[in-house]
Amino acid sequence: MPSITRNTKDWQAIDVAHHLHPFTDPKYFDSKAPLVVTRAQGSHVWDSDGRKILDGMAGLWCVNVGYGRQELIDASHRQMQELAYYNVFFQSATPPQIELSRVLAELTPGDLNHFFFTNSGSEANDTVIRMVRHFWEVEGKPEKHIFIGRTLGYHGSTVAATSLGGMQNMHDMGKSLLPGFEHVMHPHWYALGGDLGEEEFGVKAAQALEDKILELGAGNIAAFVAEPVQGAGGVIDPPKTYWPEIQRICRKYDILLVADEVICGFGRLGHWFGSEAYGIEPDLMPMAKGLSSGYLPIAAVAYSARMHKTLQRGGVFSHGYTYSGHPVSCAVALANIQLIKDEGLIEKVHNETAPYFRQRLEDVVAEHRLVGEVRGAGLLAGVQLVKDKQTRALFNADQNVAMKCRDHCLDGGLIMRAVGQSMVASPPLIITKDEIDELIAILLESLDRTAADLGIV
Ligand code: PXG
């Protein structure tokens, strides 16, 4: 069957008539039209008018190996012919799922050698919640049930993942915050550090976890959940004093540590996992996105030997999804991991592209009059827009400064995300230095245009 073709106006009209966009105000389309993306190759996508756009977000932080990779296409084709579907419920297994478990066990740090498969990061985090509460029940400590997350943390959109996350707007919609979920401050020194030095602030932000544990009682707390670098919250990389303190506190009170690797995993920070970049030794690691570079939906929860031992005493693990360990998704994930290894993408990010990206951001973007801070790690960047560089004062929210900048980027041929009053980027790991230059040039031009919109010269 040939692919469906229509003209852009028709695509847009049909989409607006029948489709509710995630995280979008439907009224937006009263005056604007959706971007219809029709094909992609490497680090670029093309819209339905044939316009080439640099994808500074790797889709939604996921297309780590870039678009159009034949190895992944072939793997899915082969697997569909051989075994398009079988499940892993009850006592069944399939070769791609078995092989993926083995390969992941080699990659994951420490004794995180056991896996449960899901289809999305949200489901992985729901699995974490059910698995961890079950773990404590089997351990004879059923009162340990509260999860502590962080403000601006993002762990997905199911009701439970929404509760785990610290996004106020998500909690407010439909009263989605469940009981048993608490949040402590996010470690953003530039925004919250006041007069403290960065390292001092890192310790203070970690102390907020200990304070919360003492307030609620360690005997009631199941786990602390955090992204190594907060992604959807605006790319917040913590001070280097933060994670060691968090690790110490979790150990001291026997609270499980969950590193949500959905964005940071599979090379984004120049390591296989963000936990390695920060020396974190988690008990559980939900992962998704870069696991298959987004070519097919698949996610997993890695968990420790200690947890495995306990779960083995816990009877039936009453949890699972029809498509857990889907053989085609697993085959694609295997091909994706092999490609990351064969092309040395982790080393390339670590040694070449991430340092270059950071240098360019610091040398030219940080100097722009609208920019207060550039932050991030690896190929993750956050650019804080400010009204006043000296006082760190922000614009009024209704000036929609980041959305303006985002729209200028798109007009200029670059996809970046606006988060609050920050611009964020998370390009494919195959991005070249020339493409980084392209990204920086369009971003600078867009910052100039945004300043002009605001009457700042
Ligand atoms: N954990 C983290 C750290 C994430 O970033 C999820 C869990 C949920 O994964 P699923 O596969 O259920 O979406 C995410 C997802 C954005 C944006 O632009 C971020 C995500 C998803 C969509 C948009 O900020 N992160």
Side-chain angles (χ1 to χ4, degrees):
M1 196 180 88
S3 42
I4 304 160
T5 50
R6 296 183 191 275
N7 68 42
T8 298
K9 285 248 164 330
D10 288 349
W11 286 125
Q12 291 169 334
I14 297 168
D15 183 62
V16 170
H18 298 293
H19 173 219
L20 179 62
H21 288 245
F23 288 90
T24 305
D25 182 345
K27 279 211 296 294
Y28 179 85
F29 297 119
D30 290 351
S31 57
K32 302 210 175 184
L35 169 73
V36 181
V37 174
T38 53
R39 66 189 177 92
Q41 190 65 41
S43 298
H44 288 86
V45 301
W46 278 259
D47 74 6
S48 47
D49 290 328
R51 211 164 64 95
K52 186 178 178 186
I53 306 167
L54 179 62
D55 185 3
M57 286 307 298
L60 279 179
W61 326 69
C62 57
V63 188
N64 288 11
V65 298
Y67 296 96
R69 305 308 302 262
Q70 199 58 44
E71 295 86 341
L72 276 64
I73 299 163
D74 290 345
S76 71
H77 187 239
R78 264 197 315 271
Q79 186 57 44
M80 279 211 194
Q81 283 181 319
E82 182 114 357
L83 177 70
Y85 175 76
Y86 200 74
N87 67 78
V88 297
F89 271 50
F90 315 126
Q91 294 82 20
S92 301
T94 69
Q97 160 264 311
I98 294 168
E99 197 59 16
L100 183 59
S101 312
R102 182 187 70 78
V103 168
L104 284 175
E106 281 174 10
L107 294 180
T108 43
D111 64 359
L112 302 183
N113 292 329
H114 305 276
F115 300 89
F116 188 93
F117 291 105
T118 72
N119 307 289
S120 68
S122 302
E123 287 178 357
N125 280 313
D126 271 41
T127 300
V128 164
I129 294 163
R130 299 204 65 215
M131 187 185 274
V132 164
R133 286 187 173 155
H134 175 57
F135 166 84
W136 286 121
E137 281 165 3
V138 180
E139 288 276 294
K141 296 179 178 171
E143 59 290 348
K144 273 174 92 68
H145 71 290
I146 298 174
F147 280 78
I148 302 178
R150 300 186 296 186
T151 47
L152 296 188
Y154 187 75
H155 303 291
S157 275
T158 56
V159 184
T162 293
S163 302
L164 200 53
M167 299 288 187
Q168 185 72 44
N169 54 333
M170 293 177 72
H171 294 165
D172 289 347
M173 195 179 97
K175 296 193 180 61
S176 293
L177 181 58
L178 296 170
F181 293 89
E182 300 278 339
H183 303 89
V184 294
M185 75 190 292
H186 53 286
H188 190 187
W189 173 64
Y190 181 84
L192 305 173
D195 294 333
L196 294 180
E198 191 170 354
E199 297 193 359
E200 225 181 326
F201 171 73
V203 174
K204 181 187 161 191
Q207 188 60 43
L209 173 62
E210 188 157 23
D211 293 346
K212 185 57 92 178
I213 292 168
L214 295 173
E215 175 196 325
L216 301 170
N220 297 314
I221 299 168
F224 174 67
V225 184
E227 305 147 76
V229 172
Q230 276 174 279
V235 179
I236 300 162
D237 58 307
K240 65 172 185 285
T241 47
Y242 180 75
W243 273 111
E245 262 308 279
I246 292 285
Q247 183 82 60
R248 184 188 66 75
I249 293 165
C250 288
R251 286 228 173 95
K252 179 172 172 189
Y253 296 101
D254 197 15
I255 283 161
L256 295 177
L257 178 54
V258 184
D260 184 336
E261 294 274 1
V262 168
I263 284 179
C264 296
F266 299 95
R268 176 76 31 218
L269 303 189
H271 297 262
W272 277 102
F273 295 97
S275 291
E276 292 159 311
Y278 288 94
I280 309 165
E281 294 174 14
D283 299 286
L284 299 103
M285 271 183 12
M287 58 186 79
K289 296 192 190 271
L291 170 56
S292 65
S293 286
Y295 277 57
L296 281 176
I298 181 166
V301 178
Y303 58 97
S304 66
R306 174 191 179 195
M307 291 197 66
H308 179 65
K309 257 197 188 149
T310 301
L311 295 187
Q312 286 196 309
R313 291 192 280 113
V316 175
F317 188 64
S318 301
H319 181 78
Y321 306 96
T322 301
Y323 302 124
S324 284
H326 193 291
V328 185
S329 300
C330 288
V332 168
L334 281 166
N336 174 62
I337 290 167
Q338 193 58 47
L339 198 56
I340 294 174
K341 287 181 183 168
D342 290 348
E343 297 193 345
L345 280 182
I346 311 259
E347 296 75 17
K348 186 173 164 232
V349 170
H350 186 272
N351 300 332
E352 293 174 39
T353 41
Y356 184 72
F357 190 34
R358 201 125 311 275
Q359 197 64 48
R360 299 294 293 148
L361 286 163
E362 276 164 21
D363 287 352
V364 295
V365 177
E367 294 304 308
H368 195 278
R369 59 195 176 284
L370 287 189
V371 174
E373 179 197 33
V374 296
R375 53 179 186 259
L379 284 180
L380 275 183
V383 176
Q384 181 72 53
L385 307 184
V386 286
K387 189 161 72 180
D388 187 325
K389 273 166 111 79
Q390 232 60 50
T391 63
R392 302 184 176 183
L394 300 178
F395 290 95
N396 293 331
D398 62 6
Q399 288 178 285
N400 286 326
V401 55
M403 278 303 274
K404 283 193 172 77
C405 186
R406 187 207 81 117
D407 289 349
H408 286 307
C409 284
L410 192 54
D411 289 344
L414 167 68
I415 295 173
M416 278 183 69
R417 272 261 285 121
V419 177
Q421 296 195 25
S422 297
M423 297 297 294
V424 302
S426 168
L429 308 188
I430 51 143
I431 194 168
T432 62
K433 289 184 179 173
D434 283 349
E435 288 167 340
I436 290 174
D437 289 342
E438 182 186 342
L439 186 156
I440 298 284
I442 301 172
L443 175 58
L444 279 175
E445 175 77 31
S446 305
L447 286 166
D448 283 345
R449 285 171 197 256
T450 306
D453 290 345
L454 297 164
I456 301 168
V457 281

